[in-house]
Structure formats: structure tokens, C-alpha cells
């Protein structure tokens, strides 16, 4: 799909499908909202696969792909919707494996601990640590990044690297927007701290996803045959643009309020006005992920 100054508003994946061999699809906000699955999204990806395409789910979840797969089963996302899952948790785990001789301090809730599973990791306080892994807020319903300022100042004083296991700033949980590890990492970076971002919009997660797809296909897939789908301008769309692949923005996600879709259908002029204010733009925009209207 050629880059145009204004993204096309599409009714679903069908008008785009023949142009691509691989879809790199976001999970949270596209396939589910943290409470329930979006059935039409799973059906759309299933149809794409039935027509010979590959689908790799690319998520900023701070847990391994295997753990995300279990979560998707719990939401009843169709197994037929995807071939593989690559997460920022997978890349975080690789970063941890490279530092098994060092002490790590963890910031995040207990549900993110599977990222360390099976690894001989030594945990310690900020004063004892050689680096920090931040997977999220310990209480994402009440805390803000400001609640972590004293810890971040202590980390900065010691010059500790932060591995951010989820670069998202926020995510939609049901009808509520909650903060993610990216908000803490951004605060640390703005203070002068050193941050390694394990997921979108940074290239390593796209390189990993492309490699997984190539292994499944038995051949390399050209970038002009790859479509990224996601609901976040800052991560999904910016990441696709930086990696040199096309993207489809799902409006009814974290930008739903800005795009006005909670109040009704997409309005072309309003959408285009909003897109004109963004640093990057997708090739197409859909209300939700579906196969056709």
C-alpha cells in the first residue's frame, strides 16, 4: 500500500488483505480490552490465515508469549487467529539472561514474575542492584509515576539501567485507562536515567516477529508485504513507520475518546484533523478490527 498524505478509512481487513502476506497484530485494545475478547477481530485474523496469510501477535505485555497465550485462552480469543506470539516480555527475558551474573531489582506487580521463571536470578534492593526491570505499576488503579520518584532518584544516583518490560504509557482495561511501565520509564528517562525499551515502538521486537514468521513460512517476507495492526499511535503506528512497514490503526482503542468513536461512528474529517496533529500516520484506519462491515 503506498503512503498517502491521508489514511484511508476502511470497513475492515478485507480491502487490505490481498496486499499482505503477514500481519503483526497488537493484542490489548485490538483482540481484547482486558476484560473480554473482541470476537470480530479474532474472526478477521482467522479469515486472513485461511487465505494463506500468517499472523504473529506482537504485544508489549511484560510476560513471555506463552503466558500471554494462556491469558488469551482465558478471554476466549480464537486460537485460529494467530500463528505465534512475540512479546516485550520475551525480549526482557533475553536481557535478563544476558545479566544472570548481576543483581536485579524488580518494579512491578507479582503477576509479571513469570518473566524470570526458570532463570537463576538474584534479586536485591535498589542499593544492591546492578540494574532494574520495570514491568509495571504495583497498583495501576491508584498510582502514578510520581509515586516512584524517590525510587527513581535512588536509581539515578547509582546510574542504574532500567529495562522497561512494557513501553506502553497506558492501556485500556474495560472502559478504564490504566498506566503501564512505559510511564515510569519515561519519567526515569526525563530525569536523565538510562532505559532499554524491550517492546514497541523499538526495532528489536519487530525483527524478532519477522524472524518468527520467516521460520514458519520457510522464507523471508518482504517488508512491503507486512501490515502492522494496533490501537496506539505512539507504539504500534510509530513502531511500524520506524521499521518501514504499513499499518492499520484501530480507532476504538486507547484513542477512542480523542477520535470520538465512543459517541458514534468514525467521522472522516474529524479523524483526518486528528491524524494531522500526530507525528506519524497509518496507511489506513478502521473503527474496530473485523473482516468486513
Amino acid at each position: 500500500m503506498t503512503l498517502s498524505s491521508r489514511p484511508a478509512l476502511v470497513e475492515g481487513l478485507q480491502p487490505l488483505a490481498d496486499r499482505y502476506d503477514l500481519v503483526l497484530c497488537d493484542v490489548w485494545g485490538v483482540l481484547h480490552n482486558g476484560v473480554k475478547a473482541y470476537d470480530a477481530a479474532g474472526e478477521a485474523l482467522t479469515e486472513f490465515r485461511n487465505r494463506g496469510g500468517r499472523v504473529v501477535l506482537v504485544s508489549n505485555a511484560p510476560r513471555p508469549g506463552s503466558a500471554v497465550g494462556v491469558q488469551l485462552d482465558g478471554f476466549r480469543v480464537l486460537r485460529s487467529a494467530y500463528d505465534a506470539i512475540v512479546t516485550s516480555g520475551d525480549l526482557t527475558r533475553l536481557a535478563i539472561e544476558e545479566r544472570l551474573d548481576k543483581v536485579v531489582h524488580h518494579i512491578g506487580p507479582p503477576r509479571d514474575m513469570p518473566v524470570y521463571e526458570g532463570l537463576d536470578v538474584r534479586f536485591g534492593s535498589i542499593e544492591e542492584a546492578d540494574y532494574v526491570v520495570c514491568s509495571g505499576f504495583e497498583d495501576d488503579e491508584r498510582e502514578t509515576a510520581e509515586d516512584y520518584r524517590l525510587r527513581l532518584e535512588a536509581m539515578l544516583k547509582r546510574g542504574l539501567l532500567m529495562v522497561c518490560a512494557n513501553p506502553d504509557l497506558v492501556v485500556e482495561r474495560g472502559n478504564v485507562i490504566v498506566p503501564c511501565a512505559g510511564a515510569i520509564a519515561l519519567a526515569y528517562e526525563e530525569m536523565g536515567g538510562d532505559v532499554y525499551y524491550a517492546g514497541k515502538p523499538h526495532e528489536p521486537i519487530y525483527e524478532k516477529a519477522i524472524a518468527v514468521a520467516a521460520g514458519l513460512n520457510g522464507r523471508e517476507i518482504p517488508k512491503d508485504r507486512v501490515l502492522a495492526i494496533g490501537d496506539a499511535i505512539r507504539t504500534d503506528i510509530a513502531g511500524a513507520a520506524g521499521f518501514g512497514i504499513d499499518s492499520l490503526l484501530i480507532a476504538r482503542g486507547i484513542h477512542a475518546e480523542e477520535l470520538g468513536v465512543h459517541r458514534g461512528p468514525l467521522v472522516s474529517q474529524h479523524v483526518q484533523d486528528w491524524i494531522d496533529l500526530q507525528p506519524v500516520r497509518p496507511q489506513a484506519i478502521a473503527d474496530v478490527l473485523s473482516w468486513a462491515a
Side-chain angles (χ1 to χ4, degrees):
M1 195 171 189
T2 57
L3 179 65
S4 63
S5 60
R6 293 203 149 188
L9 296 188
V10 296
E11 298 291 341
L13 184 56
Q14 184 181 30
L16 309 177
D18 290 343
R19 306 176 189 189
Y20 304 103
D21 299 318
L22 171 64
V23 163
L24 303 182
C25 189
D26 185 33
V27 177
W28 205 309
V30 178
L31 282 177
H32 68 77
N33 68 353
V35 176
K36 64 179 181 179
Y38 297 138
D39 294 337
E43 291 164 3
L45 296 180
T46 297
E47 182 63 24
F48 181 77
R49 292 184 66 235
N50 287 343
R51 292 169 179 246
R54 292 287 188 185
V55 175
V56 176
L57 302 185
V58 181
S59 171
N60 272 354
R63 295 169 293 282
S66 56
V68 170
V70 171
Q71 184 184 53
L72 294 180
D73 288 344
F75 291 138
R76 299 194 175 182
V77 172
L78 295 173
R79 281 281 186 97
S80 58
Y82 57 93
D83 295 282
I85 306 172
V86 175
T87 70
S88 56
D90 292 326
L91 273 73
T92 298
R93 187 177 173 88
L94 291 175
I96 295 167
E97 288 176 347
E98 293 171 356
R99 296 170 173 81
L100 289 179
D101 61 331
K102 300 184 183 301
V103 176
V104 60
H105 177 72
H106 180 80
I107 295 175
R111 65 175 178 270
D112 296 337
M113 296 307 285
V115 74
Y116 302 102
E117 191 172 336
L119 299 179
D120 187 16
V121 177
R122 291 181 295 149
F123 294 99
S125 66
I126 290 174
E127 290 71 26
E128 298 166 327
D130 298 300
Y131 73 106
V132 175
V133 169
C134 178
S135 66
F137 286 74
E138 288 156 8
D139 185 349
D140 59 16
E141 294 182 354
R142 295 178 179 84
E143 293 177 332
T144 69
E146 188 60 29
D147 292 304
Y148 291 81
R149 181 160 295 277
L150 290 179
R151 275 184 269 185
L152 298 181
E153 288 174 350
M155 290 162 51
L156 186 64
K157 186 175 181 180
R158 296 201 56 232
L160 298 182
L161 168 71
M162 176 190 286
V163 177
C164 177
N166 178 357
D168 286 345
L169 295 178
V170 297
V171 72
E172 186 181 37
R173 180 182 295 152
N175 295 320
V176 178
I177 299 294
V178 295
C180 298
I184 299 174
L186 180 61
Y188 188 52
E189 193 172 40
E190 289 177 343
M191 293 166 64
D194 186 15
V195 180
Y196 166 70
Y197 291 97
K200 300 176 288 186
H202 304 277
E203 287 199 7
I205 197 166
Y206 292 96
E207 292 169 347
K208 177 68 173 177
I210 290 279
V212 168
L216 292 169
N217 253 24
R219 61 176 178 82
E220 295 294 324
I221 300 174
K223 285 186 177 181
D224 63 1
R225 299 291 297 177
V226 181
L227 177 69
I229 301 175
D231 72 321
I233 282 282
R234 178 183 172 271
T235 50
D236 300 308
I237 307 308
F243 194 62
I245 59 177
D246 288 350
S247 62
L248 168 64
L249 175 68
I250 302 303
R252 201 172 291 274
I254 65 168
H255 300 303
E257 186 64 32
E258 299 160 85
L259 289 167
V261 293
H262 283 334
R263 298 185 294 274
L266 284 174
V267 176
S268 178
Q269 189 57 53
H270 178 71
V271 170
Q272 302 297 355
D273 289 345
W274 182 80
I275 284 292
D276 287 343
L277 298 175
Q278 308 309 314
V280 293
R281 61 191 63 200
Q283 278 63 46
I285 303 174
D287 187 355
V288 297
L289 179 58
S290 62
W291 182 248

